Amino acid sequence: MDGNGRWAEERHRPRLFGHKVGVDSVREIVETASEIGVEILTLYAFSTENWNRPTREVSGLMGLLKSYLRSELRTMMRNNIRLRCLGGQDRLPADVGAVLRQAVADTCSCQGMILNLALNYGGRSELLGAVREMARKCQEGVLDWGAISEASISDHLFTAGQPDPDLLIRTGGEHRLSNFLLWQSSYAELYFTEIRWPDFRKQQFLDAIHTFHLRQRRFGRTGVQVKEA
Ligand code: IPE
Ligand code: MG
């Protein structure tokens, strides 16, 4: 969800105003995704690198996150949305962590769309955690190093039990992954748009999904093989 800051700066407004309007986009995209039957939606809300931003912007973002979780909890439950968190929660302010854990617990039996919030998330740090955990298990004798498979790596990530993403959308005009779902995105279709996140709404989301449907996913095979399958 990139481009909030520039969206605001282009309007001669403080960056936090961009983040506020960005929350409206979040509401609209979550609602649309759940409406059209997306099974899992992951929002990259705050990276491990975002802590390097000015303290005021970080606390503004944390405040927005807390109020979003509070105000949306009922809507999430009504829409049967299950909230999950990707990222270490240890570094989040205590009040934000508490609201988040509560929202995750309150929606844990919802059977509709899964909403993954990537918060204090970084793909490399996630992989590092998985490697350490697997090494520990090997040392304890509960995991055999020779039996470690791609699936066992997936099982040690925050997204354990979930399928890999099909489509990865980055708004705001940058063409990079910025440490997002590095392992899980190996075969994701990438969609980059200049549109700033506050302007990314239902129609723009549907356009991205339409483009996705026009792509041929070959997974290493030839186009002819895919057509014959
Ligand atoms: C939102 O956009 C991303 C978050 C960390 C919430 P940015 O704040 O990165 O916006 P730009 O890139 O400065 O425009
Ligand atoms: Mg940015």
Side-chain angles (χ1 to χ4, degrees):
M1 302 186 285
D2 199 18
N4 291 347
R6 280 163 289 159
W7 184 90
E9 281 156 12
E10 283 152 12
R11 285 157 183 79
H12 310 285
R13 302 290 298 265
R15 291 177 57 87
L16 204 58
F17 177 65
H19 295 312
K20 275 197 185 122
V21 180
V23 176
D24 296 334
S25 292
V26 169
R27 286 200 186 90
E28 199 168 316
I29 299 309
V30 170
E31 194 186 318
T32 305
S34 136
E35 223 173 69
I36 64 175
V38 168
E39 286 171 28
I40 305 175
L41 177 72
T42 303
L43 298 175
Y44 201 1
F46 198 88
S47 73
T48 44
E49 290 74 31
N50 283 146
W51 295 109
N52 296 323
R53 293 196 176 192
T55 321
R56 264 185 48 176
E57 186 167 338
V58 170
S59 54
L61 280 166
M62 290 297 148
L64 280 175
L65 178 67
K66 190 172 137 186
S67 68
Y68 169 78
L69 288 170
R70 276 199 173 142
S71 68
E72 290 310 290
L73 183 57
R74 248 196 261 148
T75 318
M76 279 193 243
M77 292 178 77
R78 185 164 17 91
N79 293 330
N80 212 14
I81 294 171
R82 178 174 177 188
L83 184 73
R84 301 270 309 257
C85 184
L86 314 185
Q89 288 174 35
D90 47 308
R91 233 183 133 177
L92 298 175
D95 57 337
V96 176
V99 174
L100 182 65
R101 273 189 296 279
Q102 190 63 49
V104 168
D106 288 349
T107 60
C108 75
S109 53
C110 291
Q111 300 292 318
M113 184 176 83
I114 293 177
L115 173 60
N116 287 325
L117 262 192
L119 266 182
N120 184 31
Y121 176 86
R124 285 192 165 196
S125 120
E126 178 185 42
L127 279 163
L128 173 64
V131 169
R132 282 194 178 143
E133 181 64 10
M134 288 188 293
R136 195 183 55 78
K137 286 181 180 170
C138 288
Q139 203 172 32
E140 286 174 356
V142 293
L143 183 66
D144 170 12
W145 68 266
I148 294 176
S149 61
E150 293 189 4
S152 36
I153 295 175
S154 297
D155 287 343
H156 286 83
L157 303 176
F158 292 115
T159 46
Q162 299 183 7
D164 288 338
D166 291 309
L167 169 64
L168 190 155
I169 300 173
R170 181 168 186 150
T171 61
E174 311 292 1
H175 300 118
R176 52 179 170 256
L177 295 179
S178 300
N179 212 5
F180 186 59
L181 299 181
L182 295 181
W183 173 269
Q184 299 91 328
S185 294
S186 66
Y187 262 99
E189 292 296 325
L190 308 182
Y191 181 86
F192 296 103
T193 171
E194 292 295 317
I195 300 166
R196 313 284 193 232
W197 178 254
D199 287 331
F200 193 83
R201 298 298 171 101
K202 181 172 186 167
Q203 191 51 56
Q204 289 72 26
F205 185 51
L206 296 178
D207 289 347
I209 291 176
H210 179 68
T211 304
F212 168 78
H213 282 300
L214 299 175
R215 305 252 180 106
Q216 185 188 50
R217 306 188 78 195
R218 292 189 289 277
F219 299 100
R221 290 173 299 164
T222 68
V224 173
Q225 282 179 303
V226 173
K227 281 200 188 111
E228 281 170 355

